Amino acid sequence: MPPTSAFFAVSAAVGCALAQQVPAAAQIVNQKIFNVLASVPPPAVANDSTLFVWPGVTEDSLLAKPFHIYDKEFYDVIGSNPSLTQIASSASDPIFHEAVTWHPARDEVFFVQNAGAPAAGTGLNKSSIIQKISLADAEKVRNGTLKAVPVTVVNTTNPQVINPNGGTNYRGNIIFAGEGQGDKVPSALYVMNPESPYNTTTLLNNYFGRQFNSLNDLVVHPKNGDLYFTDTLYGYLQDFRPVPGLRNQVYRYNFKTGATTVVADDFTLPNGVTISPDGNKAYVTDTGIALGFYGRNLSSPASVYSFDVAKDGTFENRKTFAYVPAFIPDGVHTDSKGRVYAGAGDGVWVWNTSGKLIGKIYTGTVAANFQFAGKGRMIVTGQTKLFYVTLAASGAPIQ
């Protein structure tokens, strides 16, 4: 049957409900338009690696207004005048990858190169590097007084942070999750002073004498102060770590006692981890669909799972919070209101606390990770592109 006038009336009503004071850099997405398509391509044609361009839009139009409003709650995130600015780029080396961490004292943001990427030559032959930018420079690019932000390489020694991937703030320092190198250099957690000379300390490099597989991401709990981190297989899947010797799990580290315990398993490839500002919810991304040098398994998870964090700090009540059809949900963070953000194949996806998609910060390319830089600012790492976002939302308090 052809669509009825009632159908069109409902669709128009949806648009009107969302159309209140749409910012210049934003556009409303009416999902009813693509709920039924004239032709739905098979998985070999339309899959996790393809951008979804539905009738009535183009890749250019999606990028022209990159703040995509799926629900009116997204207005609280973006405010009245959001902006997305590309502030740096690389020809092929994915130097803008993971561990995005804001250092408030100097208003700088640290991030790391992709370990194991063929274009970088990192992994087994050499370690990926830590880098930083100034947010003052990012603002100059946004207002047109600077062409691109200078990117500074941060050299660590005694010990060197080997193949860093995840990063988080801790009492004025930054803790990095290092993936390890070969079978002689174990995966480890490193504490780095974010001020020159960037001196480091190894915090943890084994689980009762056994090497971790490939430590990936980490977060400090805002209430109990413990460190939660994920261990996965990406060092092995990118050919710079040995055959795994442990289950893929989420761990908890107690700074006072040094105790390391397992809090969750049953993942394919656990990746990003974060905890809500009130400490009651934990979110873990599972990127099992992406198998590094070994291709993809489209029926494996590209999912965000939520857990309740009990008073004793353990995880319980696992729930599927969201599934991302655009590549994978990689880095995951919350804002100060507890909304959940994840980097995906086309930008940063944003959900409310119930798991409803309320909007996207659309980059048109992979957003491997991102992080708030205080109030109303965000840095997004897009592998060969670096983005600076201004919006209304603020990051969760720094530990």
Side-chain angles (χ1 to χ4, degrees):
M1 293 176 62
T4 64
S5 58
F7 171 85
F8 287 116
V10 169
S11 296
V14 170
C16 290
L18 297 178
Q20 303 171 5
Q21 297 179 342
V22 180
Q27 58 182 295
I28 293 168
V29 176
N30 181 356
Q31 297 177 78
K32 284 184 174 291
I33 291 174
F34 54 77
N35 281 346
V36 179
L37 299 173
S39 174
V40 184
V45 177
N47 51 55
D48 67 308
S49 67
T50 53
L51 292 175
F52 180 36
V53 180
W54 56 92
V57 301
T58 65
E59 290 186 26
D60 287 342
S61 72
L62 292 174
L63 283 170
K65 297 186 175 185
F67 296 89
H68 296 180
I69 302 167
Y70 282 75
D71 186 274
K72 62 183 180 180
E73 292 180 50
F74 198 49
Y75 286 111
D76 293 334
V77 172
I78 61 177
S80 60
N81 189 30
S83 67
L84 172 69
T85 308
Q86 182 179 314
I87 57 174
S89 64
S90 167
S92 62
D93 183 353
I95 61 175
F96 313 114
H97 181 56
E98 289 273 8
V100 190
T101 310
W102 178 46
H103 178 45
R106 292 190 178 273
D107 205 20
E108 296 174 330
V109 171
F110 291 75
F111 51 88
V112 302
Q113 184 182 30
N114 190 339
T122 51
L124 192 58
N125 296 322
K126 64 180 181 180
S127 173
S128 60
I129 57 176
I130 301 170
Q131 301 146 102
K132 69 174 184 176
I133 62 164
S134 162
L135 281 167
D137 289 337
E139 184 60 29
K140 289 177 183 177
V141 177
R142 187 177 83 93
N143 64 34
T145 59
L146 185 66
K147 185 176 181 180
V149 295
V151 178
T152 302
V153 175
V154 176
N155 293 311
T156 59
T157 57
N158 300 320
Q160 179 186 359
V161 178
I162 301 296
N163 287 321
N165 193 79
T168 194
N169 298 90
Y170 179 69
R171 295 186 175 182
N173 294 311
I174 297 175
I175 304 178
F176 286 104
E179 295 187 82
Q181 191 171 48
D183 59 5
K184 301 298 184 184
V185 180
S187 193
L189 298 176
Y190 303 88
V191 182
M192 186 194 80
N193 172 15
E195 306 277 346
S196 181
Y198 310 110
N199 46 297
T200 60
T201 303
T202 303
L203 180 67
L204 179 71
N205 71 356
N206 74 95
Y207 183 68
F208 293 92
R210 297 170 64 180
Q211 287 193 11
F212 292 106
N213 297 327
S214 187
L215 297 180
N216 192 280
D217 198 18
L218 65 173
V219 65
V220 176
H221 193 285
K223 297 296 175 63
N224 65 35
D226 287 352
L227 181 72
Y228 292 77
F229 59 94
T230 58
D231 188 32
T232 191
L233 299 184
Y234 280 111
Y236 170 70
L237 295 174
Q238 291 180 297
D239 293 347
F240 66 90
R241 287 286 288 145
V243 173
L246 287 172
R247 191 169 175 83
N248 293 328
Q249 300 176 128
V250 181
Y251 293 82
R252 175 188 182 187
Y253 175 84
N254 183 281
F255 288 99
K256 294 180 180 179
T257 67
T260 305
T261 54
V262 176
V263 294
D265 69 353
D266 199 24
F267 301 97
T268 304
L269 293 172
N271 196 316
V273 59
T274 198
I275 294 174
S276 61
D278 62 10
N280 294 332
K281 288 286 187 180
Y283 301 92
V284 180
T285 65
D286 190 334
T287 54
I289 193 174
L291 301 175
F293 293 168
Y294 298 87
R296 305 192 314 282
N297 180 349
L298 299 182
S299 63
S300 282
S303 308
V304 183
Y305 297 101
S306 67
F307 297 83
D308 292 332
V309 183
K311 290 183 178 180
D312 63 2
T314 56
F315 287 6
E316 58 189 17
N317 300 327
R318 170 177 164 142
K319 173 185 175 182
T320 302
F321 179 79
Y323 177 86
V324 172
F327 192 42
I328 55 172
D330 200 334
V332 61
H333 301 286
T334 64
D335 64 16
S336 61
K337 302 297 184 182
R339 291 176 289 241
V340 181
Y341 300 62
D346 57 0
V348 179
W349 290 44
V350 186
W351 299 271
N352 68 7
T353 55
S354 298
K356 177 171 65 175
L357 177 66
I358 60 174
K360 294 183 190 181
I361 303 170
Y362 190 84
T363 60
T365 189
V366 171
N369 214 325
F370 63 96
Q371 184 55 279
F372 283 95
K375 182 175 176 57
R377 302 179 302 179
M378 177 188 289
I379 292 292
V380 180
T381 49
Q383 303 283 37
T384 58
K385 296 179 180 180
L386 187 66
F387 300 95
Y388 174 52
V389 180
T390 62
L391 68 176
S394 299
I398 285 180
Q399 303 306 310

